[in-house]
Amino acid sequence: MTNLLTAVTLPIKLLLLSLFLSGCGSMKNPVTYHSSFDFSQVKKYSFYQSDSTFFDSQSLSHSQRNRIEIAIEKSLNAQDFVYSDLENADIIITYHLVKRNKKNYQDYNKAVLFCPHCLKANTWQQDNNAWSVYPGGLIIDLVDPKKNRSVWRSIYPLKYKQKDNSKIQNEKIMEAVDIMLMQYPGK
């Protein structure tokens, strides 16, 4: 009886694992954006300065910030966007590493004026219906400099491991950033 139970439960476990993993695969990279923003007009981008409220919303080391910003610059430059000073930017890029501290995430949302409850509004579009936030995810927001409000957001899991050195972490960041920013509307 035990062998029969094991024989039956193993395929069921494998099926459930397969369904779980395929479901996670579709939820890995949700994207949501404001459909009334004209993304086709964006040519120049910038980052907020280190004295902005954006920087106060989370504590990251300078090396971690540099890794993320360099990955974003490489990805956007490869898509023919041009880095600009803040005053002349068509879009401002922000990012957040989701940790287990909900207050940091809430502070970040306030800094970029992102409203998770507003996602159901008619002006927000989602590439899939599974918008969720999870620890270990890298969030990138595109902020409208005229309104100082997020108009596009994506999240992707970095899957850091204890043994990851800075080179491996950098590769994971570059992969995540490329995957997210390749979903820029109109590209």
Side-chain angles (χ1 to χ4, degrees), residues 1-155:
M1 176 84 167
T2 305
N3 288 341
L4 179 60
L5 185 58
T6 303
V8 171
T9 58
L10 183 59
I12 291 172
K13 287 179 184 176
L14 290 173
L15 176 63
L16 290 174
L17 179 63
S18 172
L19 290 172
F20 173 76
L21 290 176
S22 66
C24 288
S26 65
M27 290 174 43
K28 269 187 176 178
N29 183 231
V31 173
T32 186
Y33 58 93
H34 204 282
S35 61
S36 65
F37 183 81
D38 189 358
F39 290 95
S40 68
Q41 296 300 311
V42 175
K43 307 289 184 233
K44 299 179 283 182
Y45 70 93
S46 192
F47 297 99
Y48 282 119
Q49 302 301 316
S50 60
D51 60 350
S52 70
T53 55
F54 156 69
F55 271 82
D56 295 338
S57 68
Q58 69 178 333
S59 60
L60 290 177
S61 68
H62 289 294
S63 62
Q64 187 73 331
R65 288 187 191 279
N66 287 341
R67 281 195 284 265
I68 294 169
E69 289 184 11
I70 288 170
I72 290 170
E73 285 183 35
K74 284 182 179 180
S75 184
L76 289 175
N77 292 346
Q79 294 182 54
D80 295 326
F81 292 100
V82 177
Y83 181 80
S84 171
D85 60 7
L86 197 57
E87 293 79 31
N88 295 315
D90 301 318
I91 205 86
I92 301 166
I93 313 297
T94 65
Y95 49 88
H96 180 77
L97 285 176
V98 181
K99 299 179 181 174
R100 302 218 181 267
N101 184 334
K102 288 184 179 184
K103 180 163 177 13
N104 283 349
Y105 176 65
Q106 292 168 345
D107 289 347
Y108 173 73
N109 281 341
K110 285 179 189 174
V112 298
L113 299 177
F114 182 80
C115 173
H117 304 293
C118 300
L119 294 178
K120 303 235 186 274
N122 291 337
T123 56
W124 280 92
Q125 300 295 316
Q126 292 178 298
D127 285 354
N128 68 36
N129 295 325
W131 180 260
S132 64
V133 177
Y134 43 82
L138 173 63
I139 294 175
I140 294 179
D141 277 281
L142 306 181
V143 174
D144 178 352
K146 293 179 180 126
K147 297 181 180 179
N148 290 318
R149 175 179 292 277
S150 174
V151 293
W152 182 95
R153 176 175 279 192
S154 182
I155 186 170

Side-chain angles (χ1 to χ4, degrees), residues 169-180:
Q169 287 182 3
N170 194 44
E171 290 169 356
K172 288 180 179 184
I173 288 170
M174 289 188 325
E175 176 186 7
V177 167
D178 281 343
I179 289 169
M180 287 189 280

